[in-house]
Amino acid sequence: MSRNGHDGVPGAVFIGDFALSGGEWFPSHRHSVHQLVWSRRGVGSVRIGDATWFLPRTLALWVPAGVVHATGAVDPSWNRSPYFRPERCPAGIREWAEPTVVAVSPLLAALIDHLADEHLTTDERIRAEAVVFDQLRPLSTVAIPLPMPRDRRAARIAAALVEDPADDHTLAQWASEVGASARTLRRVFLAETGLSFGRWRTHVRLRAAMPVLAAGQPVAAAARRAGYGTPSAFVAAFHRTVGVPPGVYFARG
């Protein structure tokens, strides 16, 4: 990994370049500076707590300083992430205290590439940084959390569904397999994950579909991966959960 423009270079922004192979993850860590996680090539991902974001080239995730996160890649990726010194950020940006999805326009992508040049003069760097801050526009998106139940019976079901999101066993069928009533399992899922079993299964299915969509594959392929009988049923579930259809989400920027 290299961080261009970090040591001895004035300004608010320095650029980190690093490559990840498909399925590779950096362990959980935190920074003393803000990070905009962006994949210049490939599809990146960020995990914070129970939530995971999948990021094609048109989307990036603002990770505030001090937030523990893990960065990974769906496919072989080249990450070119800007890091922001908090004390040099404009007041409005300093107030971003939560992970925030940002649209990466062609202009913002070009500016990030520009700031990776170690030979910029101080004036050139500061002018470019001012435009970068103007381009940081948060998007209204909803992460898809997937908290795992602790009860051994519910945990067995959860593990099986993560392994095969398309499994269409009913809760009653699962109940007979794990030795608990369907009513008990409904109560356990709600108490330990904050989600009904139906919503939890929707989340696991959409999480499985996200990398497929982020890699640019058709909605029909994502629907099959997630276990939906038709693409329209998948699109409806995605829209209800995330707030926009998948085509809109992945076309932003």
Side-chain angles (χ1 to χ4, degrees):
M1 172 176 174
S2 66
R3 288 188 176 180
N4 301 322
H6 185 187
D7 297 323
V9 176
V13 184
F14 58 94
I15 307 298
D17 280 308
F18 51 93
L20 287 168
S21 58
E24 182 181 2
W25 283 85
F26 283 124
S28 294
H29 59 285
R30 71 181 79 197
H31 303 293
S32 60
V33 293
H34 307 310
Q35 180 183 6
L36 186 67
V37 182
W38 179 56
S39 290
R40 185 69 176 79
R41 183 175 60 243
V43 178
S45 49
V46 183
R47 187 166 55 229
I48 300 175
D50 293 324
T52 301
W53 289 261
F54 298 95
L55 305 168
R57 189 175 180 273
T58 55
L59 297 175
L61 184 71
W62 176 271
V63 180
V67 171
V68 176
H69 62 285
T71 306
V74 173
D75 53 8
S77 300
W78 168 27
N79 281 23
R80 171 159 277 183
S81 289
Y83 295 80
F84 299 80
R85 296 179 173 94
E87 72 280 4
R88 298 184 184 179
C89 292
I93 300 297
R94 286 200 301 268
E95 294 168 0
W96 289 13
E98 300 295 331
T100 303
V101 176
V102 171
V104 180
S105 64
L107 175 56
L108 180 55
L111 287 164
I112 294 170
D113 286 341
H114 181 60
L115 287 169
D117 183 353
E118 298 178 351
H119 303 293
L120 293 178
T121 67
T122 298
D123 287 346
E124 288 171 335
R125 180 171 295 278
I126 290 174
R127 285 197 298 269
E129 288 175 356
V131 185
V132 166
F133 287 122
D134 286 341
Q135 288 291 303
L136 294 181
R137 297 165 184 164
L139 297 174
S140 297
T141 59
V142 178
I144 304 175
L146 196 67
M148 300 296 284
R150 299 178 301 279
D151 178 274
R152 62 176 179 77
R153 299 159 299 182
R156 178 180 163 188
I157 298 169
L161 290 175
V162 168
E163 180 69 22
D164 181 13
D167 187 303
D168 61 357
H169 275 49
T170 66
L171 194 58
Q173 290 171 321
W174 279 117
S176 65
E177 289 194 20
V178 301
S181 69
R183 180 179 179 181
T184 295
L185 292 173
R186 287 191 191 94
R187 178 179 54 78
V188 167
F189 265 91
L190 186 58
E192 296 190 354
T193 72
L195 301 169
S196 68
F197 175 74
R199 284 190 64 201
W200 191 94
R201 177 148 63 180
T202 296
H203 283 204
V204 80
R205 287 179 166 182
L206 296 183
R207 286 271 291 265
M210 277 288 202
V212 180
L213 293 168
Q217 297 187 41
V219 168
R224 286 193 300 272
R225 174 72 180 96
Y228 284 90
T230 64
S232 60
F234 166 73
V235 170
F238 190 103
H239 196 167
R240 283 195 306 270
T241 304
V242 179
V244 294
V248 173
Y249 181 85
F250 285 100
R252 284 170 162 174

